[in-house]
């Protein structure tokens, strides 16, 4: 296996290229690999859960269907991995111990080359186990060390407390709240407010030194 990048602290976090040529990220419990067409059942579980999609920006919109969201998401994810250079990475989260797929983790350039956005979607049965925080640390490391950005941001619905608590645990701070910036999930429904959380390279490096 070809290893690229460095470890962060004492946790085995690294960017590897396996025998199939896939670029992967790894943490102690998780492996993140590019999405494949065979991951459609996982995405359908996500898109079919009302409690999950209610906080997701492009999912469950009026006129859409769960299968339509699967086709849209997988089409985008697979297409982005084919680009050179890759600027948006959608990873399938895999539990190393069992091989079970848990959700989506993403890291992509935001606007230009100075900022990266990270994000995540986890299936309900795997929440509350620290997986997102563990993965988020590695996505953040990858953004700063490999993508060479100066700031990492994350967005969430202002009502999605579990998500912004993860952002707090990652050392991010609330940068802004934009009123009614997220689309309504029903025709004529109320739009959601959008939080933007952020951490600078200097803040991340300072926090890393204390770990």
């Amino acid at each position: 296996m070809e290893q690229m990048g460095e470890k962060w602290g004492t946790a085995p976090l690294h960017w590897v290229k396996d025998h199939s040529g896939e670029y992967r990220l790894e943490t102690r419990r998780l492996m993140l690999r590019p999405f494949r067409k065979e991951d459609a059942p996982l995405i359908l579980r996500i898109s079919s859960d009302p409690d999950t999609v209610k906080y997701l920006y492009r999912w469950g919109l009026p006129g859409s269907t769960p299968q339509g969201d699967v086709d849209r998401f997988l089409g985008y994810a697979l297409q982005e991995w084919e680009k050179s250079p890759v600027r948006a990475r959608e990873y399938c989260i895999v539990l190393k111990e069992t091989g079970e797929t848990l959700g989506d983790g993403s890291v992509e350039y935001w606007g230009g080359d100075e900022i990266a956005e990270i994000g995540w979607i986890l299936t309900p049965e795997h929440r509350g186990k620290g997986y997102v925080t563990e993965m988020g640390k590695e996505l953040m490391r990858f953004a700063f060390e490999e993508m060479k950005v100066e700031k990492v941001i994350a967005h969430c619905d202002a009502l999605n407390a579990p998500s912004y608590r993860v952002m707090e645990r990652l050392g991010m701070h609330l940068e802004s709240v934009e009123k009614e910036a997220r689309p309504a999930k029903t025709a004529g429904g109320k739009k959601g407010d959008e939080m933007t959380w952020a951490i600078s390279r200097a803040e991340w490096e300072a926090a890393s030194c204390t770990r």
Side-chain angles (χ1 to χ4, degrees), residues 12-14 24-33 92-97 100-103 122 126 129-136 138:
L13 309 177
H14 50 276
R24 303 181 177 190
L25 300 175
E26 295 190 4
T27 70
R28 182 173 62 86
R29 296 180 294 173
L30 307 173
M31 184 262 288
L32 312 181
R33 60 159 175 80
C92 181
I93 308 168
V94 182
L95 187 61
K96 286 181 177 180
E97 185 177 10
E100 187 177 4
T101 54
L102 314 183
L122 208 63
H126 296 109
K129 300 177 182 178
Y131 294 141
V132 173
T133 302
E134 181 176 324
M135 176 189 66
E138 173 61 356

Side-chain angles (χ1 to χ4, degrees), residues 184-199:
K185 294 305 172 102
T186 59
K190 179 177 173 56
K191 294 181 178 181
D193 299 339
E194 179 164 271
M195 286 180 164
T196 299
W197 291 71
I199 184 170

Side-chain angles (χ1 to χ4, degrees), residues 102-119:
L102 314 183
D104 164 58
S106 64
V107 56
E108 62 182 272
Y109 286 106
W110 185 261
D113 296 332
E114 299 294 313
I115 301 174
E117 180 195 34
I118 60 174

